[in-house]
């Protein structure tokens, strides 16, 4: 519906400006958290802790320590060592310098700083320094110099390389894939047959079964954890991939049957009845007519189930073994990385984006089906 | 054998097995048990057609019965026994729960979640649906607000942990406090309110869901009703609250209850963000504390969650029956 349909001529322009601005505000608000972590996943640890991600496109001020190189020479002022903090070949701009770790940026470039026991340090903006020790004997060790400088923004995929190739995230990724594929495909097949029976076949208790399935839609799956794990242990599959495939199949079925039945009921009766008149069996009607026509509903449930199994933490924690070989990505992040890499935001961010990349791709390419499925499940 | 290979094999066996079952069982029914020939042909066809629905339903009903119906009773039965499961303690586990102050905190916090999250997500979803309804770039805006739906609760928690980080150079909340001259604080340790900071994450995820459904509902409103209101001189605010909202009330209730059910199940956010510390415990994460340690307690908590869900379940079934009639 466009603005002119409402016919509020006078209020039109100011109203639409307010609308545009508020939607922009909301979208930005919704995106900020994700964008922040995405930007951080490309920055190294020092850059993340020295400036916020919103400053990432700009140069950051960072402090460095450099050992003075060369040897002390004796002059009338005392023992002197000279050089450049950026080395022979390097270049840069010193924004501040100091002689102690605790005060790395005590002095401005171009000035002479007084250090302990009469020693002085002079540093120019281009990095040239002169360190003077007025003592009698030659200093035994070369001093360490501290300085601050502007570091240009840098982005790299190092975090992704670290997380994928040396942290076991690749194993977790494969495990997630392993859980997801059977857990998405098998319930669809089982549910499709059941949905066809509930939509197009006549038999006693049909209404009761549909009502029970609607009721099962909301059963908290927490209830199933203990009894089903005990059951899996009793029949010998214990905590394993088989266990989680069965569990996801069971938990996904109510929604699958509900969605598919709602869709199949809406298929034109004529097609199905004329096929039956022509001698097609129910099995043929189902595989040759109903199944191909139900593709949109099958796709939308497949997306739901895929997102749900890919993103699941609870079922994976309970039904998969708790050793690191069987960790899926959500468990890997929640139970391992958050503890062992707690402060290392670059690594955590990269791990998060490795785990949400696939769902995001699925989401943006198949949004149409997802929305259709949501509507079929809720508005009806 | 690598798990992935095992998975692919399972898909092949599973899919092949399912199709094989349906195909073979139909064949056996039609050719062997009730063959459509001989003197009983007519009667046999009818008999076969009476059995066939059950063949189609059997795998689904078996899986549903095993994984969703049986656990309701299985869990309740287990919750009447002690930790190791060998001593009958009647309602002892429930008594112990209510004596535990952490459980009472979890119950109270869950109450806050159920009250606040569905309300906020539905309200924001309705707001966005209405605002984007008239925009040329509305679909892009909607798709961006819908995006968090694809992100796992763990991923979303990590994203928000970053937002809430204490270091003003890392967390944007504390960066804003810093520019306002306020000292840095950890939002996750602010008593009572930290619950709401955790709820924000779920609202962030669920607003898109509410928006998509309510947006479709808004589009479905007959235009005549709106035109009539405009002719009568109603302003946009009046049109929204007095004409549009009452017409989509049914959908609003559905969205509200769907999110309510979800809230009662989500344990990932609290588990990842605070581990239930700082007074943020909720029932699903409280249950996970006892999972693997004391199954009697864990099943008792699960059953309490079930009891809270029960009214919604009854209402859902009643609605479904009404629709089918």
């Amino acid at each position: 519906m466009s603005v002119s349909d409402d016919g509020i001529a006078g209020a039109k322009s100011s109203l639409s400006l307010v609308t545009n601005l508020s939607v922009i505000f909301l979208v930005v608000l919704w995106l900020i958290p994700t964008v922040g972590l995405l930007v951080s996943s490309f920055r190294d640890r020092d850059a993340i802790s020295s400036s916020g991600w919103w400053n990432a496109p700009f140069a950051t001020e960072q402090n460095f320590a450099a050992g003075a190189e060369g040897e002390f020479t004796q002059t009338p002022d005392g023992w002197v060592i000279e050089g450049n903090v950026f080395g022979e070949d390097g270049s840069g701009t010193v924004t501040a310098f100091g002689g102690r770790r605790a005060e790395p940026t005590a002095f401005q470039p171009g000035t002479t700083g007084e250090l302990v026991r009469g020693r002085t340090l002079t540093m120019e903006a281009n990095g040239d320094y002169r360190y003077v020790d007025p003592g009698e004997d030659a200093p035994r060790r070369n001093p360490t110099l501290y300085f601050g400088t502007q570091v240009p923004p840098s982005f790299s995929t190092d975090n992704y390389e670290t997380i994928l190739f040396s942290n076991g995230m690749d194993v977790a990724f494969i495990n997630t894939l392993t859980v997801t594929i059977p857990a998405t495909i098998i319930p669809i097949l089982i549910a499709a047959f059941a949905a066809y029976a509930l939509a197009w076949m006549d038999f006693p208790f049909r209404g009761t079964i549909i009502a029970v399935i609607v009721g099962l839609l909301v059963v908290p799956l927490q209830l199933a954890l203990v009894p089903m794990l005990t059951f899996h242990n009793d029949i010998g599959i214990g905590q394993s991939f088989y266990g989680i495939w069965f569990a996801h199949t069971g938990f996904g079925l109510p929604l699958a049957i509900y969605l598919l039945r709602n869709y199949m009921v809406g298929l034109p009766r004529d097609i199905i009845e004329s096929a039956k008149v022509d001698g097609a069996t129910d099995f043929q009607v189902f595989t040759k007519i109903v199944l191909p026509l139900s593709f949109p509903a099958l796709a939308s449930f497949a997306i739901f189930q895929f997102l749900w199994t890919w993103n699941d933490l609870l079922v994976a924690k309970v039904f998969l073994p708790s050793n690191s070989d069987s960790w899926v990505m959500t468990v890997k992040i929640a139970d391992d990385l958050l503890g062992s890499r707690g402060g290392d935001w670059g690594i955590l961010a990269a791990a998060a984006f490795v785990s949400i990349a696939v769902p995001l791709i699925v989401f943006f390419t198949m949004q149409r089906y997802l929305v259709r499925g949501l509507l079929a499940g809720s508005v009806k | 054998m690598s798990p992935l290979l095992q998975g692919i094999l399972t898909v092949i066996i599973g899919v092949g097995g399912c199709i094989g079952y349906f195909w073979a069982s139909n064949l056996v029914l039609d050719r062997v048990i009730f063959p459509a020939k001989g003197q009983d042909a007519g009667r046999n066809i009818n008999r076969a057609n009476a059995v066939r629905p059950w063949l189609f339903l059997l795998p689904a009903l078996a899986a549903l019965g095993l994984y969703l119906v049986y656990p309701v009773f299985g869990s309740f039965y287990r919750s009447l026994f002690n930790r190791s499961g060998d001593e009958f303690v009647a309602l002892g586990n429930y008594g112990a729960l209510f004596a535990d102050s952490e459980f009472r905190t979890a119950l109270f916090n869950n109450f806050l979640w159920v009250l606040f999250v569905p309300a906020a997500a539905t309200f924001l979803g309705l707001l966005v649906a209405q605002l984007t309804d008239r925009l040329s770039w509305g679909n892009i805006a909607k798709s961006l607000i819908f995006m968090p739906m694809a992100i796992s609760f763990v991923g979303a928690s990590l994203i928000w942990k970053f937002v809430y980080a204490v270091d003003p150079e890392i967390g944007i909340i504390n960066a804003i406090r810093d520019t306002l001259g306020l000292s840095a604080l950890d939002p996750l340790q602010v008593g009572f309110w930290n619950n709401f900071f955790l709820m924000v994450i779920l609202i962030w995820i669920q607003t898109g869901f509410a928006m998509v459904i309510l947006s479709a509902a808004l589009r479905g409103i007959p235009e005549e009703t709106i035109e009539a209101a405009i002719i009568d001189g109603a302003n946009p605010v009046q049109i929204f609250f007095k004409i549009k909202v009452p017409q989509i009330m049914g959908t609003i209730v559905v969205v509200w209850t769907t999110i309510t059910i979800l809230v009662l199940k989500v344990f990932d956010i609290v588990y990842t963000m605070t581990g239930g510390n700082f007074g943020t415990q909720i029932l699903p994460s409280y249950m996970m504390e006892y999972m693997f340690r004391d199954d009697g307690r864990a099943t008792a908590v699960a059953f309490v969650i079930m009891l809270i869900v029960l009214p919604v379940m009854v209402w859902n079934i009643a609605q479904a029956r009404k629709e089918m009639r």
Side-chain angles (χ1 to χ4, degrees), chain A residues 99-178:
Chain A
R100 290 170 55 204
R101 178 173 288 278
E103 292 178 338
T105 54
F107 314 111
Q108 292 301 308
T111 61
T112 300
E114 301 282 337
L115 307 178
V116 287
R117 293 193 215 112
R119 296 163 187 162
T120 59
L121 175 63
T122 312
M123 204 182 287
E124 303 298 331
N126 67 4
D128 288 339
Y129 63 87
R130 180 181 156 89
Y131 181 93
V132 183
D133 188 336
E136 296 277 306
D137 306 321
R140 262 170 293 168
R141 275 181 292 130
N142 282 5
T144 305
L145 312 171
Y146 298 91
F147 63 100
T149 183
Q150 295 281 329
V151 177
S154 78
F155 297 100
S156 73
T157 53
D158 290 353
N159 292 327
Y160 287 93
E161 279 160 31
T162 313
I163 196 73
L164 278 177
F165 301 120
S166 61
N167 267 276
M169 198 68 177
D170 49 347
V171 177
F173 189 93
I174 301 281
N175 285 342
T176 300
L177 209 59
T178 308

Side-chain angles (χ1 to χ4, degrees), chain A residues 6 40 52 223 232 317 335, chain B residues 67 75 134 162 169 230 271:
Chain A
D6 283 7
S40 303
L223 276 174
H232 284 173
K317 265 183 79 71
D335 283 357
Chain B
Y67 279 87
S75 267
R134 305 149 159 237
F162 191 68
E169 299 291 358
I230 291 166
Y271 180 80

Side-chain angles (χ1 to χ4, degrees), chain A residues 1-8, chain B residues 223 227 230:
Chain A
M1 187 189 328
S2 73
V3 176
S4 55
D5 284 344
D6 283 7
I8 319 162
Chain B
E223 278 192 38
E227 276 164 19
I230 291 166

Side-chain angles (χ1 to χ4, degrees), chain B residues 111-172:
Chain B
F111 184 64
L112 289 180
W113 279 72
V114 166
L115 223 52
F116 188 64
V117 175
T122 312
F123 172 77
L124 284 171
L126 188 58
L127 185 74
V128 178
Q130 168 68 14
L131 288 176
T132 52
D133 204 26
R134 305 149 159 237
L135 286 187
S136 51
W137 56 290
N139 280 337
I140 300 171
K142 275 196 270 189
S143 146
L144 290 174
I145 289 181
F146 193 30
M147 179 202 65
M149 273 287 282
I151 298 176
S152 61
F153 293 125
V154 173
S157 301
L158 209 58
I159 286 173
W160 280 87
K161 220 174 174 140
F162 191 68
V163 170
Y164 291 150
V166 186
D167 186 343
E169 299 291 358
I170 294 177
I172 197 160

Side-chain angles (χ1 to χ4, degrees), chain A residues 31-331:
Chain A
L31 283 182
I32 279 179
T34 319
V35 172
L37 203 66
L38 182 61
V39 170
S40 303
S41 72
F42 291 105
R43 304 177 79 205
D44 67 34
R45 193 182 178 138
D46 293 335
I48 290 174
S49 56
S50 64
S51 73
W53 59 266
W54 49 92
N55 283 325
F58 313 111
T60 57
E61 174 98 21
Q62 284 183 30
N63 298 328
F64 294 92
E69 283 175 20
E71 288 182 4
F72 278 96
T73 50
Q74 200 164 21
T75 69
D77 297 337
W79 296 92
V80 169
I81 190 164
E82 286 180 327
N84 188 302
V85 286
F86 296 114
E88 292 292 308
D89 312 318
S91 69
T93 307
V94 172
T95 51
F97 69 94
R100 290 170 55 204
R101 178 173 288 278
E103 292 178 338
T105 54
F107 314 111
Q108 292 301 308
T111 61
T112 300
E114 301 282 337
L115 307 178
V116 287
R117 293 193 215 112
R119 296 163 187 162
T120 59
L121 175 63
T122 312
M123 204 182 287
E124 303 298 331
N126 67 4
D128 288 339
Y129 63 87
R130 180 181 156 89
Y131 181 93
V132 183
D133 188 336
E136 296 277 306
D137 306 321
R140 262 170 293 168
R141 275 181 292 130
N142 282 5
T144 305
L145 312 171
Y146 298 91
F147 63 100
T149 183
Q150 295 281 329
V151 177
S154 78
F155 297 100
S156 73
T157 53
D158 290 353
N159 292 327
Y160 287 93
E161 279 160 31
T162 313
I163 196 73
L164 278 177
F165 301 120
S166 61
N167 267 276
M169 198 68 177
D170 49 347
V171 177
F173 189 93
I174 301 281
N175 285 342
T176 300
L177 209 59
T178 308
V179 168
T180 308
I181 297 170
T184 305
I185 295 175
I186 293 175
I188 293 181
L189 209 63
I190 296 178
F193 277 95
Y196 174 78
L198 292 173
W200 288 105
M201 291 167 128
D202 235 352
F203 56 95
F205 304 117
R206 189 172 74 157
T208 314
I209 293 176
I210 296 172
V212 168
I213 287 171
V214 170
L216 291 180
L217 275 173
V218 300
V219 167
L221 57 86
Q222 270 87 0
L223 276 174
L225 302 181
V226 172
M228 290 330 289
L229 189 60
T230 316
F231 174 75
H232 284 173
N233 286 332
D234 289 346
I235 63 170
I237 54 178
Q239 286 182 314
S240 68
F241 281 103
Y242 289 107
I244 198 170
W245 290 326
F246 293 149
H248 273 313
T249 301
F251 300 150
L253 273 180
L255 183 67
I257 299 175
Y258 179 69
L259 276 184
L260 293 177
R261 183 199 162 263
N262 274 358
Y263 190 87
M264 287 178 184
V265 158
L267 294 176
R269 178 173 285 273
D270 304 351
I271 303 179
I272 292 161
E273 280 181 353
S274 55
K276 281 193 181 168
V277 169
D278 289 347
T281 64
D282 272 311
F283 190 72
Q284 286 167 326
V285 171
F286 173 71
T287 50
K288 302 237 165 88
I289 299 175
V290 173
L291 211 52
L293 283 178
S294 306
F295 177 75
L298 295 172
S300 58
F301 172 73
I303 298 168
F304 272 124
Q305 181 76 357
F306 172 82
L307 290 179
W308 153 247
T309 48
W310 187 281
N311 290 337
D312 160 76
L313 171 68
L314 181 63
V315 179
K317 265 183 79 71
V318 175
F319 288 101
L320 276 181
S322 53
N323 58 26
S324 60
D325 292 338
S326 323
W327 277 341
V328 294
M329 285 191 288
T330 46
V331 176

